[in-house]
Amino acid sequence: MKAFLILTFLIIAFWSVITTFRAIYLILTKEFNGNKTTWILISMIGIIGPIIWITKGKKLVSK
């Protein structure tokens, strides 16, 4: 059960990173209403959370 839970969290974390890169790519390449820099920074939050979880949270779950 632990392995399934950790695997599920890893899939969600990596999916978030992929979605974030896709969002940044679309913001940069498509016509976009609004400040691109602000939206790129907001999208970067999707990378920071999973990276912190992978480095720190995974250790807490496996204890």
Side-chain angles (χ1 to χ4, degrees):
M1 182 65 179
K2 275 186 180 179
F4 177 73
L5 185 63
I6 291 173
L7 184 62
T8 303
F9 281 132
L10 281 174
I11 290 171
I12 291 170
F14 284 118
W15 188 258
S16 176
V17 171
I18 291 168
T19 304
T20 301
F21 282 127
R22 184 171 184 268
I24 291 171
Y25 172 76
L26 290 175
I27 289 169
L28 290 174
T29 58
K30 304 286 182 182
E31 188 63 35
F32 189 75
N33 295 330
N35 189 357
K36 288 185 178 188
T37 308
T38 303
W39 282 103
I40 289 173
L41 289 175
I42 290 170
S43 298
M44 294 292 284
I45 294 171
I47 292 176
I48 295 168
I51 289 174
I52 291 173
W53 182 82
I54 289 170
T55 57
K56 305 231 185 270
K58 189 170 130 184
K59 294 174 189 170
L60 295 174
V61 170
S62 41
K63 280 185 181 180

